[in-house]
Amino acid sequence: MNEHFEKLQRYLEPVQALQGALTLFQWDNETLAPPAANEQSSRIVGALTDVYLNAFLRPEIFQLLTELKGEKDTLSEKEKAIVRELNKEYENLMVIPKEEYRAFQELTMKAAVVWAKAREEDDFASFSPYLKEIVETQKRFAGYRRKEGQSLYDVLLSDYEPDFTEKDLDDFFAIIREELVPLVKEMAEKADSIPDSFLYGHYPADKQSAFCEMLAEYIGFEKEKGVIAQSAHPFTTNLHNKDVRITNHFYENSLPSAIFSVIHEGGHGIYEMGIADDLTMTPIGGGATMAMHESQSRFYENILGRSEAFWKPLYPKLQETYPEQLAGISLETFLRAINKSQPSLIRTEADELTYCLHILIRYELEKLLIAGELCVEDLPKAWKDKYREYLGIVPDTDREGVLQDTHWAWGNFGYFPSYAIGSAIGAQLLAAMKKDMDLDACLQASNLAAVKEYLGKHIHQYGKLYGCNELLQKTTGEKFNARYYVAYLREKYHRLYA
Ligand code: ZN
């Protein structure tokens, strides 16, 4: 092994350990910690973060990375990828003056609190000055980091999807706009003919919990490597490939909420569990990109989890669990109900078809903000205009409008597109998978292991070793191609609503 790389690894070990400690603290905060713990625990997290940053940003690591730049030929594929990821993080942190970075962190922490209150009180004006400063800072940081030929938005996007530029996304979202906006309108006109009120009867939490536990295992979430807890909003986190944690949340007046959350987070979890042993706990031991991660969770949640073949063997079990609530509800009625498409105001509650229009709207707006073509004060009106244009509905309040997501308050610009790209990747993977196996037959035979094996072999095991397009090229024979997504949605919804 390259001598410098060996040394580098020794420095990385404590960095990785500190990251693990921080992850555990975060997990605990969201799941088990008592409410009063927050203030003191935040101080512990703050101190740990400092120790972590100091361990990572030490001159020895920088020196080794510099040496390794000239020694690439002596490195293995895996080692090269590790050096690549480290360099990327270093470059980002080095070009931003430390004081400015710290000030931005403080700003976003404050902004998140102000946002929560503003949302509660439907008061955009109180949040607006913070958002304005966040946009300005992100633009300035992107300016520091910009490489030749990059737009400011390109820089922000590269944090999440390094394979995509603003131009790529313009092309992608143009397809979404042209193809899906009319399809959404067409389906919305038929929505009234689909009964779904039975999904929102009374569903006791204990029964939901037991069913979801079974469901997680059924799709391939391994109990020996993972746990499921409860939190306000479901999420996935992990220490390494043998300690993956997901959460769920139970609403007694909704059957689908927890079911699709556990399948979604389970999909994220299965990805993390599938990363190869020699990559986990290294800088390339996570999912390839945000979009690739989301492609896996959405593949499980929507493509598998809302399909007829998936529910054929499972629906009788669901009916056994809720004999009264689902009495007289056929599998067909259930399937139509869980796939009902209807324009709605809240992104996180949107159905599979309308979901990407919520992302399209955020993409168009944040691009305008970063380009300086829209000022923050005018954002609520622009938001309403876009919802009217694309979904045909308008929020009465900013609470149900521009204030609904927390991401901008945290400074995350360039982040939303990953959700839509991920959905589209799922459809592209589906097309490739169907050439290699009879997916419906597997699902009907409860053989989810075959699905997991396929995804593990083509996607999961590689972690961040390859980029998004490289993985797609290897698996599907081509780079990202949004046409599969449009074709999948068209076929599915025309069949369902026929
Ligand atoms: Zn997700």
Side-chain angles (χ1 to χ4, degrees):
M1 188 188 270
N2 177 301
E3 192 193 323
H4 291 131
F5 189 83
E6 215 175 331
K7 263 194 191 161
L8 179 69
Q9 270 191 314
R10 284 205 293 276
Y11 284 115
L12 287 179
E13 208 155 298
V15 175
Q16 215 74 43
L18 285 160
Q19 209 166 37
L22 278 164
T23 304
L24 255 191
F25 239 107
Q26 244 160 5
W27 159 268
D28 188 65
N29 256 342
E30 302 282 339
T31 52
L32 275 180
N38 195 279
E39 204 185 319
Q40 268 138 306
S41 294
S42 296
R43 274 166 47 204
I44 300 177
V45 169
L48 266 178
T49 305
D50 275 345
V51 180
Y52 161 73
L53 281 175
N54 286 334
F56 181 54
L57 291 173
R58 58 194 296 167
E60 292 90 339
I61 295 188
F62 182 68
Q63 182 65 31
L64 287 166
L65 285 173
T66 312
E67 312 252 20
L68 283 163
K69 268 183 189 156
E71 299 168 4
K72 276 194 187 136
D73 295 343
T74 66
L75 299 178
S76 69
E77 194 179 32
K78 174 190 148 187
E79 291 163 356
K80 265 186 219 159
I82 289 174
V83 170
R84 179 196 69 209
E85 286 304 311
L86 288 173
N87 272 323
K88 217 161 58 186
E89 274 198 56
Y90 253 78
E91 277 169 22
N92 284 345
L93 290 168
M94 303 283 278
V95 294
I96 298 168
K98 256 193 182 146
E99 323 75 68
E100 289 188 38
Y101 188 74
R102 205 163 274 256
F104 183 59
Q105 283 188 314
E106 275 168 30
L107 170 67
T108 52
M109 273 169 83
K110 255 188 253 162
V113 177
V114 174
W115 164 80
K117 191 161 177 274
R119 179 170 167 263
E120 198 65 41
E121 295 168 359
D122 187 33
D123 175 19
F124 182 77
S126 67
F127 176 55
S128 171
Y130 289 86
L131 185 58
K132 207 170 173 171
E133 207 180 326
I134 287 170
V135 170
E136 286 315 311
T137 313
Q138 281 295 38
K139 282 167 70 174
R140 197 170 68 246
F141 285 2
Y144 295 149
R145 294 170 51 197
R146 169 155 51 177
K147 297 206 173 81
E148 216 186 305
Q150 274 190 313
S151 71
L152 292 181
Y153 194 81
D154 282 340
V155 178
L156 296 169
L157 186 60
S158 71
D159 285 338
Y160 308 99
E161 303 306 327
D163 283 359
F164 290 81
T165 62
E166 189 177 344
K167 165 82 178 59
D168 296 327
L169 287 191
D170 283 344
D171 295 344
F172 169 50
F173 282 112
I175 295 175
I176 300 284
R177 209 167 30 232
E178 279 153 31
E179 305 279 348
L180 297 187
V181 172
L183 184 61
V184 163
K185 291 207 169 112
E186 189 189 333
M187 294 305 140
E189 282 161 19
K190 299 179 186 170
D192 285 346
S193 66
I194 295 181
D196 66 345
S197 59
F198 64 88
L199 294 176
Y200 306 97
H202 181 67
Y203 291 92
D206 55 339
K207 285 198 173 180
Q208 289 199 41
S209 173
F211 188 83
C212 287
E213 190 96 7
M214 181 282 292
L215 201 50
E217 261 194 284
Y218 181 86
I219 63 169
F221 186 82
E222 297 166 67
K223 262 191 169 165
E224 315 76 62
K225 301 179 185 172
V227 290
I228 309 176
Q230 288 186 43
S231 66
H233 303 284
F235 70 96
T236 301
T237 191
N238 66 304
L239 299 179
H240 45 69
N241 66 355
K242 297 194 175 54
D243 188 343
V244 180
R245 298 160 183 235
I246 63 175
T247 69
N248 205 350
H249 191 90
F250 303 106
Y251 297 94
E252 295 208 313
N253 60 357
S254 169
L255 177 63
S257 174
I259 284 180
F260 292 106
S261 286
V262 81
I263 303 178
H264 180 99
E265 303 306 332
H268 281 304
I270 289 167
Y271 192 170
E272 293 292 343
M273 286 173 180
I275 288 169
D277 284 337
D278 67 329
L279 300 188
T280 194
M281 290 184 73
T282 75
I284 56 168
T289 69
M290 259 282 302
M292 195 50 89
H293 233 301
E294 211 53 34
S295 80
Q296 300 305 291
S297 54
R298 279 167 200 277
F299 188 88
Y300 274 94
E301 177 195 346
N302 292 326
I303 295 178
L304 303 181
R306 293 182 203 268
S307 72
E308 183 178 0
F310 180 83
W311 281 104
K312 255 197 181 149
L314 275 174
Y315 189 63
K317 290 188 184 128
L318 190 67
Q319 275 189 312
E320 260 168 53
T321 311
Y322 305 110
E324 285 159 31
Q325 295 91 327
L326 296 176
I329 304 292
S330 68
L331 173 61
E332 198 198 335
T333 305
F334 174 73
L335 282 168
R336 280 161 68 92
I338 59 171
N339 282 293
K340 183 172 180 169
S341 173
Q342 208 168 21
S344 59
L345 295 171
I346 305 296
R347 174 184 62 88
T348 53
E349 288 160 22
D351 57 81
E352 183 182 7
L353 176 58
T354 56
Y355 188 85
C356 56
L357 299 193
H358 292 263
I359 303 300
L360 164 68
I361 290 168
R362 284 152 181 76
Y363 172 65
E364 292 190 347
L365 292 175
E366 66 179 16
K367 244 180 52 156
L368 291 171
L369 285 173
I370 297 300
E373 288 165 26
L374 172 68
C375 61
V376 168
E377 289 86 349
D378 297 335
L379 190 56
K381 185 184 175 300
W383 183 281
K384 287 178 181 168
D385 290 344
K386 295 271 182 210
Y387 267 78
R388 184 180 300 113
E389 184 183 353
Y390 294 141
L391 283 155
I393 47 173
V394 186
D396 288 332
T397 63
D398 289 334
R399 192 189 148 95
E400 296 168 300
V402 67
L403 285 172
Q404 66 180 272
D405 302 304
T406 174
H407 305 71
W408 287 342
W410 283 108
N412 298 336
F413 285 84
Y415 166 91
F416 281 117
S418 294
Y419 288 125
I421 301 169
S423 302
I425 290 174
Q428 188 172 340
L429 289 174
L430 173 69
M433 194 186 236
K434 279 185 159 171
K435 285 183 199 158
D436 287 349
M437 61 194 266
D438 187 344
L439 182 60
D440 281 356
C442 286
L443 294 176
Q444 285 180 33
S446 297
N447 182 10
L448 273 287
V451 177
K452 184 169 148 180
E453 194 186 313
Y454 181 94
L455 294 171
K457 180 176 154 206
H458 293 284
I459 309 287
H460 302 168
Q461 61 159 324
Y462 296 117
K464 268 188 205 303
L465 192 60
Y466 305 119
C468 181
N469 270 328
E470 218 176 337
L471 273 176
L472 284 174
Q473 184 78 45
K474 278 178 194 287
T475 309
T476 71
E478 57 184 312
K479 288 183 180 175
F480 177 75
N481 181 347
R483 294 285 166 193
Y484 291 101
Y485 183 44
V486 172
Y488 158 78
L489 287 173
R490 271 180 183 286
E491 192 277 325
K492 174 170 180 172
Y493 279 90
H494 281 136
R495 184 167 32 82
L496 265 165
Y497 281 60

